[in-house]
Amino acid sequence: MMYTAYYAESSDYSSEMSRSNEWSALDNVISGLKTAREQGLGTSQARQALHDTMTVWSFLLDDLSNQDNNFPEQLRADLISIGIFVIKQVGRIYQAQSEDVDSDVSGLIDINTAIRDGLVQ
């Protein structure tokens, strides 16, 4: 019985830490994307921001697709759809296939901000 309570407590702590790490990662992505938008997408900082965005979302997609993920199925599906969209947008920007780069980067900032703000810090 004692182990069950300890496991539940450590599992809650682990979940809180994970959410905090996800919040921080998304916050860093947002900051990088804002810098990229301000300094121009030809800079090394912009390339790094796009790479970081793809890396974070790849990690989140991997976590969301894991059967052990405790999010409700519909929420997971919605977040996976958003993640796929974000990765496609980053790819389009990388490959200079975007018709309005500033608008696309602003959209990525808005999406990442909404997801970050939805996490409990």
Side-chain angles (χ1 to χ4, degrees):
M1 200 68 154
M2 185 170 116
Y3 293 114
T4 305
Y6 174 76
Y7 177 76
E9 183 179 306
S10 67
S11 179
D12 288 344
Y13 177 74
S14 176
S15 178
E16 288 174 22
M17 287 300 296
S18 179
R19 293 258 172 97
S20 177
N21 290 340
E22 291 166 352
W23 192 95
S24 294
L26 288 168
D27 195 54
N28 288 334
V29 162
I30 294 161
S31 177
L33 290 171
K34 286 179 177 178
T35 299
R37 184 180 58 192
E38 292 164 6
Q39 295 183 359
L41 291 173
T43 65
S44 62
Q45 292 90 345
R47 287 188 297 280
Q48 185 64 50
L50 292 171
H51 174 76
D52 292 347
T53 302
M54 195 166 296
T55 300
V56 166
W57 277 98
S58 294
F59 172 81
L60 292 173
L61 286 172
D62 185 54
D63 182 55
L64 290 164
S65 64
N66 185 332
Q67 294 301 324
D68 293 333
N69 186 296
N70 292 327
F71 280 172
E73 189 173 331
Q74 186 59 53
L75 177 59
R76 285 177 33 204
D78 292 345
L79 289 170
I80 287 170
S81 294
I82 291 168
I84 291 169
F85 174 80
V86 166
I87 287 175
K88 284 182 178 180
Q89 283 297 96
V90 169
R92 287 182 42 187
I93 294 168
Y94 256 134
Q95 296 170 3
Q97 295 177 345
S98 175
E99 294 177 18
D100 187 354
V101 174
D102 286 339
S103 177
D104 286 346
V105 172
S106 292
L108 289 173
I109 292 168
D110 292 344
I111 290 168
N112 282 282
T113 300
I115 300 300
R116 181 206 58 196
D117 292 351
L119 294 170
V120 177
Q121 184 181 12

